[in-house]
Amino acid sequence: MAHFLMSTRIHMGQSSLEEIKGLGMKRAYIICDPFMKKCGRAEELASILHEAGAETEIFSDVVPDPSIEVVTAAIQGMKKFGPDGIVALGGGSAIDTAKAAGQLYGAMNGGARPMLAAVPTTSGTGSEVTSFAVISDTQAQVKYALRDQAMVPDAAFLDPALTASVPPAITADTGMDVLTHALEAYVSTKADDFTDACAEKAIRLVWQYLERAVADGSDIEAREHMHNASCLAGIAFSNASLGICHSMAHALGAAFHIPHGRSNALLLPHVVAYNAALDYKDESRALLRYAQIAQMLGIGGATPKAAVHNLLRQIRNLMKRINEPFYVTDCRVEKEAFLEQVPVMAQKAMQDGCTETNPRVPEPCELEGLYRELCKGGSV
């Protein structure tokens, strides 16, 4: 017995943000990071809501890897303002903050959370359609992957114009996050025909448009397709869940503050090789699934193992072309400090909820080995 849930109303394409007027919010609490307020995006959104007769308040204290403290501060602001709607403006950090804060605010008031709308300004997390929120405990250096169907936003607005000013490095990081979401959803133990359809399309779009979006941020066609790919991958993994690439990336990001998409990119080739069990004689289910992706992308191979080897080569080639690093030592992380944290990160990854649906059941020592691959050789 499986379930496929899709409860978010998605508005997509240029000028789609104007459709937010139709939500009927009267008191809209806008959650964003300081840059969204400084650059005027938050005020532009507030103006659109004002045209529809809504009062607004802007909470702009969101930080990367949103913390328990920031979520608490957002809830305190809601208590004072009394919103009937929450609008998350920004990347995954803003949307995850809004999800967690809105859910807790509703619970503290003995009812459902206010209406939640998500306006992503990066093409990466897919958080605008998922039941996940990742919140950090800064003291314990742990990221908690929360999951509750009640946190899924009611509406999402995929306006590619909002991503046009995203710098190339962030475009690359978030694009690799999309690819990781889709690949992990595709090989997840909970994958089904419906999640496969979304994952496959997301992979195709990333393969075709990510490099273009990195090379030219004003390429609105590439931006629009990457925005759609991010959302499709979000739909896929919200239903199929993820795997150890994300478990390990959560621990890596919490320990060394490497951006989430970049953490996934560092780990992705190693995790694909591990899940495919390329050194085993027998062909695993994951290996055959990765080989299907290779075939879909036109990557040849006389055998499934050869196809996966070629897929790995092409993933690394894509990373080179978009200037993604291959080693933590290229991310201002000292090798000795990293190796010291490897056992701790491996244990935290083992406890992460994403590990449950990984196609290969890992041992802590195996995760330690995968982490150590990230500091071999220096720069590529």
Side-chain angles (χ1 to χ4, degrees):
M1 181 78 177
H3 302 276
F4 184 86
L5 302 175
M6 183 60 233
S7 56
T8 307
R9 186 182 182 93
I10 301 171
H11 305 262
M12 67 193 84
Q14 296 186 58
S15 302
S16 58
L17 186 56
E18 289 289 327
E19 297 297 313
I20 202 168
K21 297 175 184 176
L23 294 183
M25 292 182 181
K26 298 302 180 185
R27 295 183 64 79
Y29 193 72
I30 299 171
I31 294 179
C32 65
D33 61 36
F35 178 74
M36 285 292 115
K37 186 172 183 180
K38 183 178 179 180
C39 74
R41 288 286 192 196
E43 290 296 344
E44 290 174 15
L45 174 57
S47 295
I48 293 172
L49 290 164
H50 292 161
E51 291 174 12
E55 295 183 43
T56 63
E57 181 161 316
I58 298 171
F59 174 86
S60 60
D61 293 337
V62 170
V63 296
D65 300 324
S67 64
I68 295 171
E69 292 79 8
V70 170
V71 171
T72 301
I75 293 170
Q76 294 300 322
M78 287 185 216
K79 285 182 177 179
K80 294 178 182 178
F81 183 66
D84 66 349
I86 302 167
V87 183
L89 174 68
S93 295
I95 299 173
D96 284 3
T97 300
K99 285 178 172 180
Q103 183 71 1
L104 290 170
Y105 172 76
M108 292 166 66
N109 285 285
R113 62 151 169 77
M115 178 188 294
L116 175 60
V119 184
T121 59
T122 61
S123 304
T125 67
S127 189
E128 66 273 9
V129 291
T130 76
S131 57
F132 288 86
V134 180
I135 304 299
S136 297
D137 183 333
T138 53
Q139 293 185 344
Q141 289 192 325
V142 175
K143 286 187 176 184
Y144 298 107
L146 311 177
R147 187 176 189 181
D148 190 327
Q149 192 61 31
M151 289 197 297
V152 178
D154 300 293
F157 299 85
L158 310 182
D159 193 328
L162 298 177
T163 71
S165 60
V166 176
I170 297 177
T171 301
D173 288 347
T174 53
M176 289 302 298
D177 198 15
V178 177
L179 182 61
T180 306
H181 287 155
L183 283 171
E184 289 213 289
Y186 194 75
V187 300
S188 164
T189 57
K190 289 179 62 179
D192 57 39
D193 290 343
F194 292 87
T195 61
D196 284 357
C198 295
E200 287 171 2
K201 185 62 176 179
I203 293 166
R204 286 180 182 272
L205 291 173
V206 172
W207 216 250
Q208 185 173 357
Y209 292 104
L210 175 56
E211 191 175 354
R212 278 176 53 179
V214 172
D216 180 7
S218 65
D219 184 340
I220 202 67
E221 180 186 16
R223 290 292 195 183
E224 182 169 355
H225 284 299
M226 281 303 302
H227 227 24
N228 292 344
S230 177
C231 188
L232 285 165
I235 294 169
F237 85 77
S238 188
N239 286 274
S241 195
L242 294 162
I244 61 169
C245 194
H246 267 78
S247 301
M248 296 177 71
H250 290 155
L252 176 61
F256 294 101
H257 307 293
I258 298 172
H260 176 65
R262 186 168 298 181
S263 295
N264 273 321
L266 288 165
L267 287 157
L268 182 60
H270 305 287
V271 170
V272 170
Y274 169 79
N275 282 340
L278 292 171
D279 53 342
Y280 283 25
K281 181 178 179 180
D282 295 334
E283 295 179 343
S284 67
R285 171 187 173 274
L287 181 139
L288 296 176
R289 298 284 281 173
Y290 289 129
Q292 289 171 1
I293 291 297
Q295 183 180 25
M296 180 188 75
L297 296 174
I299 299 169
T303 66
K305 286 188 179 182
V308 176
H309 277 294
N310 290 336
L311 174 63
L312 285 167
R313 186 177 300 110
Q314 292 304 322
I315 289 173
R316 291 188 175 101
N317 286 342
L318 173 63
M319 290 174 63
K320 287 180 182 178
R321 293 196 300 271
I322 61 175
N323 295 315
E324 280 292 301
F326 283 75
Y327 299 101
V328 292
T329 47
D330 296 327
C331 302
R332 299 181 180 178
V333 175
E334 293 184 1
K335 182 176 180 178
E336 293 75 15
F338 176 78
L339 290 174
E340 184 179 332
Q341 285 296 312
V342 161
V344 177
M345 292 190 296
Q347 285 296 333
K348 289 179 179 178
M350 286 295 297
Q351 297 164 7
D352 192 294
C354 296
T355 300
E356 296 175 8
T357 46
N358 195 68
R360 182 176 172 183
V361 179
E363 295 291 337
C365 61
E366 293 176 314
L367 299 190
E368 289 182 25
L370 291 173
Y371 274 128
R372 290 192 181 98
E373 292 290 330
L374 302 187
C375 59
K376 288 183 178 179
S379 298
V380 171

